[in-house]
Amino acid sequence: MVDGERIDGAWCHIWRRYRPGGEYYLDDLIVFADGAITCGERTDLAGLEKMLATGRLAVTDPGTPPLSDEPPKWASRHGEPLTPEGFLLEVADRIEALNERPTAGQRCWAAIRHFQQEPAESNRALLRAAYLAVPPHLRIYVLGDMDRQDRPLRILLTNIGEVVDGDGPVVTAEMHQDVLDYFSRGDQGVRSEQERRAVQHADDPSEPGRPALISRETVYPQGWPEQPGLFMLRNDFPAQIVFAGESYASVLHGYWALSTADAFDRSRIRDAASGREAHDLGGRATHRSDWPDVRLAVMAELLRAKFTQHPRSSFPPGTPGSATPASRTHRSGEMSPTVGDETGWGGCSS
């Protein structure tokens, strides 16, 4: 807290030594949204640069032997080595992210979109500058593609007739077009996912609420397990229920069938082959006008029907309607250890 205001931050590990010529120890470096940086003492980006330059801090273990000869750059699956200069760029980027400003990676994606709309040479130059502004050791992750990594960009930013990375293929006009097609396919994939999510959350309220329980979905391609488990709590679990004179194969069948304004849609959803199909059909159907007002009550009644119309022994210990309480529960809001994201940074605040 600074003057009563919460300042968000992020932390990562760094190598630090306490005196010149001394041994290095692993320590926490913490970066805050206001630009403050702490690692044994409070500093800023300029101070961090000086600490790295003088050897008080190191971005990698100085005692680690150098890596063996790397394969040619084009064939390599590794990013550029982490350097003090690259780390400073990453820290500056983390400060931008903490302030909800565009990061170097996001600015690179904006340049990609601009080039897609107008593939002029001037826009390719802007894209090259945006790509080179990404910390070198993080460039292979900028497209989020585990297979091709950042190779599409490296191809696109290489002039026709020149060799990619100095040891890769000679770029052709067809290769440039293939990269543009690659980005177009990605855009279509994003649109398809957005449409899928719109169907999946078709009746969600406009303002998100705080869930009392988060249940992680697991897919069972070979069918539901024979041994009872918490998966039986899921609304798509095939527990036949009778509600308001109709029979439904699962809670999800009943919920989405009752959401519709059309009797034909209601029958299709009720007879769907699976809860997932019922959800998909219901998300695409026209909903009754009062559904936002009654949906919670309908779900409550369907769940009550599920756990009262089935024997207690049908559910694992600790679930509603079972005979014995569970020995351990996890409640939302309990403290849990902070874990880092995919970049190796964890969240914190002051």
Side-chain angles (χ1 to χ4, degrees), residues 1 18 98 150-152 154 160 171 217 247 255 262 268 272 299 323-324 349-350:
M1 302 292 288
Y18 296 95
L98 289 168
D150 61 337
R151 287 186 179 88
R154 284 149 56 189
I160 294 174
V171 172
E217 181 176 2
S247 179
Y255 178 83
D262 183 79
R268 290 178 64 214
M299 176 59 80
T324 58
S349 63
S350 69

Side-chain angles (χ1 to χ4, degrees), residues 85-205:
E85 295 77 15
F87 183 70
L88 282 170
L89 289 175
E90 184 179 0
V91 171
D93 220 29
R94 184 59 54 164
I95 294 172
E96 294 297 292
L98 289 168
N99 285 282
E100 299 182 349
R101 295 192 291 261
T103 63
Q106 291 167 337
R107 292 192 295 272
C108 185
W109 268 107
I112 291 172
R113 298 284 178 253
H114 189 54
F115 184 77
Q116 284 181 279
Q117 295 170 3
E118 189 179 346
E121 190 59 33
S122 58
N123 290 334
R124 192 164 72 103
L126 294 174
L127 174 55
R128 180 181 291 106
Y131 170 72
L132 294 177
V134 176
H137 59 287
L138 299 179
R139 287 173 190 161
I140 63 170
Y141 308 114
V142 73
L143 297 182
D145 188 330
M146 294 178 62
D147 297 320
R148 299 183 68 173
Q149 298 179 326
D150 61 337
R151 287 186 179 88
L153 274 178
R154 284 149 56 189
I155 292 171
L156 188 60
L157 298 178
T158 301
N159 294 329
I160 294 174
E162 295 182 359
V163 177
V164 186
D165 298 332
D167 58 12
V170 176
V171 172
T172 64
E174 290 75 15
M175 292 171 69
H176 275 188
Q177 185 58 50
D178 178 69
V179 172
L180 291 176
D181 293 342
Y182 163 85
F183 286 125
S184 295
R185 290 192 299 272
D187 292 342
Q188 181 57 48
V190 170
R191 287 192 292 270
S192 297
E193 176 62 15
Q194 289 172 341
E195 292 172 2
R196 187 191 70 82
R197 288 178 177 269
V199 169
Q200 189 177 27
H201 303 281
D203 71 335
D204 281 4

